[in-house]
């Protein structure tokens, strides 16, 4: 095999709690993570020529070591003593700086792709360790499906598959910096926290209504204070028949769950024109049914 094509799927958080601050500058979190089917596409081709040549469909995206795809490929070349180099094509559809772990998903897909392309015998645990050094969400993006994430986000407990639902993702035209949101977060100002155990019980029961009632993200108020449009979009999603709606990660993407494609599409059309949103996608949840 000289070439491989991999999907890099986005994630949403149906619950996000910040439980403490760590000495390494990161925060200890408790989150429910869910993979969705909106994806980037990565093609990796073996080359006799040394080095990594990365191209993407977005002219503004850095294609050097600032890009996690580049760094993931470099890590695998170094860790596995790969002789030649690679040509990588990255087709991005997942909005960037959006709270959807797009960069981490690309990074995870590159690690998985390099392992397959070169037939490397490396267990998932080791791949996830390499991933962890590149970004806190990368181990989950390797595992995928539904999981409880703790620590920085790297301590993962798989959960049963999420109930099937359509997912509308709307990213308002603002870029949110995750470090800035974490910096402005204050425990003293948290009014409501997610009941993670209750959400896990609802996931086990396949109870989407219960999940929606329990959804909570402690970073939402921080980002909404800066960008009130986020709560306007949430309200519109609910008015257009969402079972539940919330901001993902540190934002600004808002997601909504819809029980039919038609309902989701009506909401998409309204929100796209009302808020002048270009980055809006109707997708579904992804469940890997235990496969890595
Ligand atoms: O690991 P990653 O580069 O994705 O994290 C981006 C930023 O988000 C970190 O530099 C940090 O400011 C913040 N972060 C945090 N605690 C976490 C995860 C991320 O403070 N558990």
């Amino acid at each position: 095999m000289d070439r491989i094509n991999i999907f890099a799927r986005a994630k949403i958080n149906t619950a996000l709690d910040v439980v403490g601050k760590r000495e390494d500058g990161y925060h200890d979190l408790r989150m429910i993570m869910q993979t969705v089917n909106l994806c980037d596409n990565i093609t990796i081709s073996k080359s006799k020529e040394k080095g990594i040549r990365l191209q993407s469909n977005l002219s503004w995206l850095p294609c050097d070591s600032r890009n996690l795809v580049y760094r993931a490929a470099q890590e695998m070349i170094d860790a596995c003593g790969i002789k030649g180099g690679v040509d990588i094509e990255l087709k991005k559809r997942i909005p960037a700086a959006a709270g959807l772990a797009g960069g981490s998903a690309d990074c995870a897909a590159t690690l998985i792709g390099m392992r397959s392309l070169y037939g490397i015998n490396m267990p998932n645990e080791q791949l996830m360790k390499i991933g962890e050094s590149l970004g806190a969400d990368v181990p989950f993006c390797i595992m995928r499906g539904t999981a409880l994430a703790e620590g920085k986000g790297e301590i993962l407990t798989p959960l049963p598959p999420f109930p099937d639902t359509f997912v509308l993702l709307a990213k308002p035209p603002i870029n949110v910096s995750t470090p800035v949101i974490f910096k402005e977060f204050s425990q003293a100002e948290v009014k409501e926290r997610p009941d993670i155990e209750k959400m896990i019980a609802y996931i086990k029961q396949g109870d989407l209504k219960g999940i929606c009632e329990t959804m909570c993200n402690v970073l939402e108020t921080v980002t909404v204070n800066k960008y009130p449009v986020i709560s306007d979009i949430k309200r519109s999603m609910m008015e257009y028949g969402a079972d539940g709606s919330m901001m993902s990660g540190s934002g600004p993407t808002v997601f909504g769950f819809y029980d039919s494609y038609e309902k989701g599409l009506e909401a998409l059309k309204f929100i796209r024109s009302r808020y002048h949103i270009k980055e809006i996608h109707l997708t579904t949840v992804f469940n890997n049914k235990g496969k890595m």
Side-chain angles (χ1 to χ4, degrees), residues 56-279:
S56 98
N57 59 323
L58 301 178
S59 56
W60 55 266
L61 200 73
C63 284
D64 52 23
S65 63
R66 285 169 294 171
N67 193 308
L68 281 178
V69 167
Y70 187 102
R71 284 168 48 201
Q74 189 68 63
E75 286 285 337
M76 292 301 276
I77 288 171
D78 295 345
C80 307
I82 293 167
K83 293 276 182 295
V86 282
D87 294 306
I88 307 179
E89 270 175 51
L90 168 61
K91 192 168 174 225
K92 280 210 75 72
R93 292 175 69 229
I94 304 171
L100 297 173
S104 301
D106 296 341
C107 178
T110 306
L111 294 173
I112 293 170
M114 291 290 286
R115 179 175 67 176
S116 299
L117 187 63
Y118 288 93
I120 298 160
N121 187 12
M122 183 186 280
N124 284 321
E125 291 67 32
Q126 200 181 336
L127 205 64
M128 284 157 121
K129 264 270 164 275
I130 297 177
E132 191 189 322
S133 70
L134 295 166
D137 284 337
V138 179
F140 172 73
C141 292
I142 293 173
M143 187 173 114
R144 303 182 303 179
T146 312
L148 166 68
E150 295 172 286
K152 281 197 294 182
E154 84 289 11
I155 305 169
L156 297 167
T157 310
L159 295 172
F162 202 82
D164 282 331
T165 178
F166 291 95
V167 185
L168 181 60
L169 299 167
K171 188 209 166 204
I174 42 182
N175 285 327
V176 166
S177 154
T178 303
V180 169
I181 299 302
F182 271 107
K183 219 170 183 179
E184 292 183 7
F185 169 81
S186 152
Q187 291 290 7
E189 281 167 40
V190 175
K191 299 228 163 56
E192 200 192 346
R193 288 185 188 279
D195 185 336
I196 304 268
E197 273 58 45
K198 203 166 170 187
M199 170 146 314
I200 291 173
Y202 282 131
I203 291 171
K204 285 182 177 161
Q205 291 160 20
D207 182 346
L208 187 60
K209 192 167 170 279
I211 292 169
C212 289
E213 282 167 7
T214 318
M215 289 198 307
C216 178
N217 176 351
V218 297
L219 297 179
E220 195 175 278
T221 13
V222 185
T223 316
V224 165
N225 281 343
K226 291 168 95 75
Y227 308 108
V229 68
I230 291 166
S231 51
D232 298 338
I233 297 170
K234 256 180 84 167
R235 201 173 43 249
S236 294
M237 286 210 182
M238 294 307 286
E239 281 167 7
Y240 271 76
D243 295 316
S245 174
M246 198 172 75
M247 184 185 85
S248 183
S250 54
T253 301
V254 178
F255 66 84
F257 292 140
Y258 291 86
D259 63 7
S260 79
Y261 179 78
E262 290 69 27
K263 256 193 218 173
L265 194 60
E266 283 306 304
L268 181 150
K269 285 180 189 159
F270 174 77
I271 290 166
R272 185 171 55 197
S273 79
R274 170 70 183 76
Y275 301 100
H276 312 289
I277 293 182
K278 288 203 182 80
E279 294 184 288

